[in-house]
Structure formats: structure tokens, C-alpha cells
Amino acid sequence: MKIIDGKVISAQVKEEVKEKTAKLKAEKGIEVCLAVILVGEDPASQVYVRNKKKACEYVGFKSLSYELPGDTSQEELLELIDKLNKDDSVHGILVQMPVPKQIDEKTVIDAISPEKDVDGFHPMNVGALCIGEPGFVSCTPAGIIQLLKRSDIDINGKECVIVGRSNIVGKPMALLMLRENATVTVAHSRTKDLAEVCRRADILIAAVGKAKMITEDYVKDGAVVIDVGINRNAETNKLCGDVDYDNVAPKCSAITPVPGGVGPMTIAMLMNNCLESALRKAGE
Ligand code: NAP
């Protein structure tokens, strides 16, 4: 059984981004720039934003940080997005979700220019993914593809079951696995006989948000199991995934741990998307 190490693979991705960022600066004088907007003081969001800024620093991006008060109006936020859309020196714009309730998430996502939507949430980018055109892909599913490929796991022709159908993980994951020629099933809360459906999978991807829900009954012998879930274990207060790791790992050919699996890939792919945006703008 192989443990897929997201820390090692995300470090590889970041190292590659760092090298290309330095090259872009040296050869064309372009400094890659990511603008991160946080509205309000949600502690989890503050940690995410801090980690994104740290990653920018590491790979050599300029990062612009906008920390707006919790009572910021939608109009004020849209004005800032508009200003950043028009600023040629900014390559990526990210609004940390969730936003406070006076602001409509969809309006915000739609307002970000698709060329700078490094989160890959804009309908133009989702549509591009759907029809196989270039665009930005949501970072967590894009990171999972990198985890699989860089662990030499063959996707072509494999049965893939994804549990979860959210816009940011489950659905784009299904489209990416389809692009890689897997046979894809998307399961969700209304799926009947979920364990039986999951047991079909050569590659099982859990993106549910329910601690340790996937037990050995859901897993075929020799399957690859990717755990996207980030949950807090009520008893131990430690982070745990959607997969009951100790119970499932002995049956798998490969598995991602939580923490240290999918999680670190998300920020690495965000850096990759932002570099990609700068390269496209530079005509590369
Ligand atoms: P979400 O929007 O809440 O979606 C959860 C999905 O799971 C829904 O499609 C839901 O089905 C399905 N589901 C819920 N209960 C189920 C059940 N009992 N059986 C089968 N399916 C069930 O969550 P998300 O944003 O996709 O995130 C999922 C998990 O991944 C969370 O733990 C989140 O923290 C984590 N996450 C991690 C990263 C990372 O970087 N590692 C990034 C994003 C998310 P319905 O559609 O029928 O309601």
C-alpha cells in the first residue's frame, strides 16, 4: 500500500512554479501578482488567506492583500474587483469564501474577469472545462489529478466513483476524470446503495464533509482512495478526512492521508493557475 504524499508533491509543484516565475521576471520583466480579498474576520478564512500569502512569497509572486470589514457592501466589493480587473499588473483575483450574508457569492464570482479567475469558479471557466477548452480549473480537483499522475497511477479506462457533487470539488473532479478517460460515476446524498456503488471504483474520491464515513465496506480490494474531506474529529479535536483511514488503508493500493494529502495541493495549484494567467498574458 502506497501513501500518496501531498506535502512532497505540492512542494514539487511549488518549486516548478518558483522556477518559471523567476524566468518570467528575468526574461520579460513580468512580476506575477495575485490579489487576495477577505471580507470579515472569519478565523478559518484568515488562516487560509495567510497561507496563500505565504505561498505567494515562497514562489516569488507579488501579493496584494485586501482585508475589508465584515459590513462591506456588495457594491464596495464589486468596485474593488472592477479596479483589479482593469489593473494590468494583476494576474489573479481571489475572493476568500464564504462572504458575509449581505454579499451574494454568485454575483462576486461572476464579477471577476475569467482571465483572472484563478480559483476557476467563473461560469466561463466551468464551461470551458466542460467542453474541453483552455481555462482555469478549480484548484482542489486539479491538485488531485496532479497527485494521481505524479504517483504514476493510471487513470485511463479506470472506473472512478466520486462521492460529492459540489461546484468546487465533485463536479469539476468528474469532468477532469472524464478528460483523463476514466469511466465516471458521481454519487451524492440521494444515491441508493452508496457502499455498493463505491465498491465499483478503481479510483474512489470522497468529497463529502462527513468524518470517517467511508469504511472498508465501500472499498474494493486494491482501489486507490483519495480523501478530500477536512473534518474535525469530535472526540480528539484532530483533523480527519471522509475516509476511515486505519480501517480502509489495508485494502487500498494507494491512499491519501488527512492532513498531508489533498489539502496541500490546493494552494500549490492556485499558484500554478496564477502563473499560468501571467504566462498567457505574456503570450506564452
Ligand atoms: P459540499 O458543498 O458540502 O458538498 C458535499 C457533497 O457531499 C454534496 O454533493 C452532498 O450531496 C454529498 N453528501 C453529503 N452527505 C452525503 C452522504 N451521506 N452520502 C453521500 N453523499 C453525501 O462540500 P465540498 O465543498 O465539496 O467539500 C467536501 C469536503 O471536502 C469538506 O470536508 C471540505 O472541507 C473538503 N474540502 C477540502 C478541500 C481541500 O483543499 N482539501 C477543498 C475543498 C473542500 P448533495 O449534493 O445531494 O447534498
Side-chain angles (χ1 to χ4, degrees):
M1 192 271 299
K2 175 179 181 162
I3 298 171
I4 300 174
D5 191 334
K7 284 193 210 143
V8 168
I9 298 174
S10 66
Q12 284 168 4
V13 172
K14 280 193 277 186
E15 216 49 52
E16 291 163 15
V17 172
K18 189 176 180 177
E19 266 173 41
K20 291 182 193 159
T21 302
K23 191 163 169 257
L24 192 61
K25 192 164 186 189
E27 289 178 0
K28 300 210 166 174
I30 295 170
E31 188 172 31
V32 183
C33 174
L34 174 66
V36 179
I37 305 171
L38 171 65
V39 188
E41 278 154 19
D42 176 57
S45 294
Q46 285 173 328
V47 173
Y48 291 139
V49 165
R50 206 179 313 135
N51 288 341
K52 286 169 190 175
K53 281 197 270 187
K54 263 199 246 163
C56 283
E57 220 170 276
Y58 180 79
V59 298
F61 292 178
K62 179 179 177 184
S63 75
L64 299 176
S65 178
Y66 298 88
E67 283 165 31
L68 310 179
D71 61 357
T72 300
S73 70
Q74 177 164 301
E75 207 181 359
E76 285 168 312
L77 177 59
L78 293 179
E79 264 169 38
L80 173 59
I81 292 171
D82 186 49
K83 189 182 100 185
L84 295 169
N85 279 341
K86 289 177 178 149
D87 184 339
D88 276 343
S89 69
V90 173
H91 302 101
I93 304 171
L94 180 154
V95 178
Q96 184 64 48
M97 300 296 173
V99 282
K101 55 181 179 317
Q102 75 275 15
I103 298 172
D104 177 51
E105 193 175 298
K106 183 170 158 36
T107 307
V108 170
I109 291 171
D110 289 355
I112 297 171
S113 159
E115 290 84 36
K116 298 189 182 188
D117 166 42
V118 285
D119 259 337
F121 294 166
H122 192 284
M124 286 269 286
N125 283 317
V126 177
L129 172 63
C130 197
I131 58 174
E133 291 198 348
F136 292 114
V137 177
S138 179
C139 299
T140 302
I144 292 171
I145 295 291
Q146 288 302 314
L147 281 181
L148 293 169
K149 288 192 168 172
R150 290 172 190 246
S151 307
D152 292 321
I153 291 164
D154 192 17
I155 307 174
N156 197 11
K158 295 290 162 67
E159 285 284 342
C160 174
V161 176
I162 298 156
V163 192
R165 56 175 166 179
S166 70
N167 288 342
I168 62 164
V169 189
K171 281 182 203 156
M173 191 72 244
L175 291 165
L176 284 175
M177 292 304 271
L178 203 53
R179 187 191 269 186
E180 298 295 332
N181 300 317
T183 302
V184 181
T185 303
V186 183
H188 44 79
S189 67
R190 311 286 176 91
T191 299
K192 294 212 168 67
D193 301 324
L194 182 65
E196 194 191 311
V197 172
C198 290
R199 279 199 301 273
R200 287 187 216 145
D202 300 312
I203 302 172
L204 177 63
I205 302 175
V208 183
K210 294 224 166 1
K212 298 189 179 187
M213 173 188 147
I214 305 289
T215 56
E216 60 175 342
D217 310 344
Y218 290 67
V219 179
K220 174 167 90 177
D221 272 328
V224 173
V225 175
I226 305 291
D227 190 354
V228 187
I230 302 177
N231 312 295
R232 185 113 359 230
N233 186 323
E235 291 153 30
T236 62
N237 200 32
K238 283 191 182 155
L239 284 189
C240 72
D242 291 341
V243 175
D244 187 345
Y245 185 89
D246 294 334
N247 180 257
V248 165
K251 274 187 116 175
C252 303
S253 60
I255 186 166
T256 59
V258 176
V262 174
M265 293 304 292
T266 301
I267 289 188
M269 297 315 289
L270 174 69
M271 298 298 114
N272 194 58
N273 278 353
C274 197
L275 169 66
E276 190 61 42
S277 170
L279 289 172
R280 279 185 208 160
K281 188 150 188 295
E284 291 195 14

